[in-house]
Amino acid sequence: MDRQGAVAALGAAVAAFVSDNAFGDERWCVALSGGPDSLALTAVAAACKPTTALIVDHRLQPDSGRVAAAAREQALSLGCVDAQVLCVDVGTTGGPEAAARTARYGALDDARRDAPVLLAHTLDDQAETVLLGLGRGSGSRSIAGMRLCDPPWYRPLLGVRRALTHAACAELGLTPWQDPHNADRRFTRTRLRIDVLPLLEEVLGGGVAEALARTATALREDTDALDEQARQALADVGAGPALDTGRLAALPEAVRRRVIRGWLLTGGAIGLTDKQIRAVDTLVTAWRGQGGVAVGSPLRSQRLIAGRRDGMLTLNIEPV
């Protein structure tokens, strides 16, 4: 690789992503943490079109303000037309990692002003995500990993190894911030990165990260096809608050459960798990007069109950 090889390779990856996805926006944003992945992406993104760097300060560490300010200075020095520091308050719902993610995405969405946002997730991040989904046993949807395009979020480096972003920063003379959380084994993703993936690479003879990413792509293609069948089937089994259990029962299992999932989400359910969806499915396939199934509701004072009545699946609101 020549002196500018890593930067050139990242630039080619972003250019190919833009070409493949018909990116027509005149401007875009990039989510910048100051770490090597997002810093390298910011550098190549700013060279492509007017780029605004969005830096989220989670305020979870004593020096977070200094880190955010340094990232802002680096973004402007790399040619960004603007760089904004977004301070957030991180809650507790779902644990520290999930709560920080929720706060971060909310702030990015508020600040992007209808522009697409580039995220610096790499192939290594995708492999970790697949392993997390596999461990949770939440079905193919969780193992399908992250999408390249999930508007307004876009991941042009999802096919790029993390080593390339580190090399690009070195070529550009940049000093990335090293997040101490990335070395803290209290976090599940960190342990996957430090302990599990290297062990799998050793035991299986290499290429594990790439294999996991290919698995995610294949599962995502299958999931998209089944989701489309489910959307079409939903119109045939009912409308509004009720579904015909007889017609549901005639559907293939994978399609039926996706119909149920879509119906629950449309009815206001949140935080659905595979266990809940399967429990609702038994109201269709193994009806013995059992009671309803509680699913997540956005309102603390109410809960949603999926039940069966007169051959129809119903979704009712009950006070807690």
Side-chain angles (χ1 to χ4, degrees):
M1 183 178 289
D2 61 27
R3 184 175 179 275
Q4 292 299 315
V7 176
L10 285 183
V14 171
F17 177 83
V18 171
S19 176
D20 291 344
N21 294 283
F23 238 99
D25 297 82
E26 296 181 358
R27 62 187 181 91
W28 55 24
C29 300
V30 62
L32 174 62
S33 68
D37 299 338
S38 62
L39 199 57
L41 176 59
T42 299
V44 296
C48 290
K49 62 176 65 181
T51 300
T52 296
L54 300 178
I55 303 126
V56 178
D57 181 0
H58 298 86
R59 298 188 285 191
L60 295 176
Q61 300 175 34
D63 62 346
S64 65
R66 178 189 61 79
V67 171
R72 182 179 183 277
E73 291 180 6
Q74 286 179 310
L76 294 174
S77 71
L78 289 170
C80 288
V81 296
D82 191 16
Q84 304 172 24
V85 175
L86 315 171
C87 295
V88 299
D89 294 316
V90 177
T92 58
T93 302
E97 293 172 275
R101 183 168 56 251
T102 297
R104 178 168 61 253
Y105 276 87
L108 293 172
D109 199 23
D110 289 341
R112 67 185 180 86
R113 296 186 179 181
D114 295 325
V117 180
L118 305 185
L119 305 175
H121 295 124
T122 65
L123 186 147
D124 299 81
D125 295 306
Q126 183 75 303
E128 294 160 11
T129 299
V130 173
L131 283 178
L132 283 170
L134 184 63
R136 291 177 180 138
S138 299
S140 60
R141 193 177 302 277
S142 65
I143 306 173
M146 297 175 284
R147 292 181 178 275
L148 274 170
C149 302
D150 190 16
W153 319 113
Y154 298 86
R155 299 177 174 88
L157 304 186
L158 207 54
V160 169
R161 294 302 304 264
R162 188 177 288 141
L164 192 62
T165 64
H166 287 238
C169 287
E171 285 181 4
L172 293 167
L174 300 173
T175 303
W177 173 57
Q178 301 299 331
D179 186 349
H181 286 168
N182 290 336
D184 190 340
R185 283 182 165 84
R186 291 177 300 172
F187 298 101
T188 303
R189 186 178 285 270
T190 299
R191 294 198 67 186
L192 286 176
R193 180 178 303 146
I194 296 175
D195 300 328
V196 178
L197 271 170
L199 179 60
L200 287 174
E201 293 279 355
E202 177 186 343
V203 171
L204 298 178
V208 171
E210 290 85 353
L212 289 169
R214 288 195 302 272
T215 297
T217 298
L219 282 171
R220 197 160 49 250
E221 291 169 349
D222 292 348
T223 297
D224 287 346
L226 288 168
D227 284 347
E228 179 57 33
Q229 291 182 42
R231 279 191 289 270
Q232 296 173 11
L234 181 57
D236 296 330
V237 298
L243 299 181
D244 186 313
T245 59
R247 293 183 177 181
L248 270 175
L251 295 173
E253 290 183 15
V255 176
R256 183 177 63 246
R257 284 197 291 270
R258 281 169 169 80
V259 169
I260 290 171
R261 177 180 181 273
W263 172 70
L264 290 170
L265 290 173
T266 301
I270 62 171
L272 285 174
T273 66
D274 185 64
K275 182 178 180 180
Q276 289 173 328
I277 295 170
R278 288 177 182 274
V280 176
D281 191 34
T282 63
L283 298 177
V284 177
T285 62
W287 173 243
R288 299 291 186 272
Q290 65 265 40
V293 177
V295 296
S297 167
L299 301 176
R300 292 186 178 181
S301 60
Q302 298 176 337
R303 63 176 184 169
L304 289 172
I305 304 294
R308 175 166 171 161
R309 182 178 180 182
D310 298 329
M312 303 293 287
L313 276 186
T314 60
L315 191 59
N316 301 303
I317 299 175
E318 294 184 0
V320 175

